[in-house]
Amino acid sequence: QMTGKYQSAIPPTYVPENHVFAIDLNATDSNADDLIYSIEPGGDGSSFSINPLPGILSFKSPPDYERDFSVQGDSHFEVIVSVSDGEFK
């Protein structure tokens, strides 16, 4: 989900067990401004960290699918990431 009026549902991404890298997010800005990514509260967001400039989303701890720690308890993690150029219209 993006800030503003645009929302995007990224196709599900498979992360191998015991790996932390989840996805490299990419957005563009019509003014070519630098973009900053952040994790919104809620869902499984607390299980992730994001590098705010390149948009690399990672697990804080590698997932162990035998010991599920997703909010819904089904090893499917949902996280909402916002991206902003620092301007609000």
Side-chain angles (χ1 to χ4, degrees):
Q1 178 175 340
M2 308 293 264
T3 57
K5 296 182 181 178
Y6 178 77
Q7 294 184 2
S8 173
I10 295 174
T13 303
Y14 174 75
V15 177
E17 187 172 27
N18 300 316
H19 288 81
V20 293
F21 175 79
I23 192 168
D24 181 0
L25 300 165
N26 293 285
T28 58
D29 179 74
S30 61
N31 299 322
D33 293 330
D34 289 334
L35 298 175
I36 299 172
Y37 296 83
S38 60
I39 297 172
E40 294 294 317
D44 293 296
S46 63
S47 296
F48 291 86
S49 64
I50 193 162
N51 188 322
L53 294 177
I56 296 174
L57 183 70
S58 301
F59 279 96
K60 289 181 179 176
S61 297
D64 177 355
Y65 295 126
E66 284 84 28
R67 295 178 5 177
D68 176 39
F69 60 93
S70 66
V71 169
Q72 294 181 342
D74 58 5
S75 292
H76 292 100
F77 296 85
E78 294 185 18
V79 60
I80 298 173
V81 175
S82 295
V83 61
S84 174
D85 65 359
E87 297 180 25
F88 182 78
K89 293 184 179 183

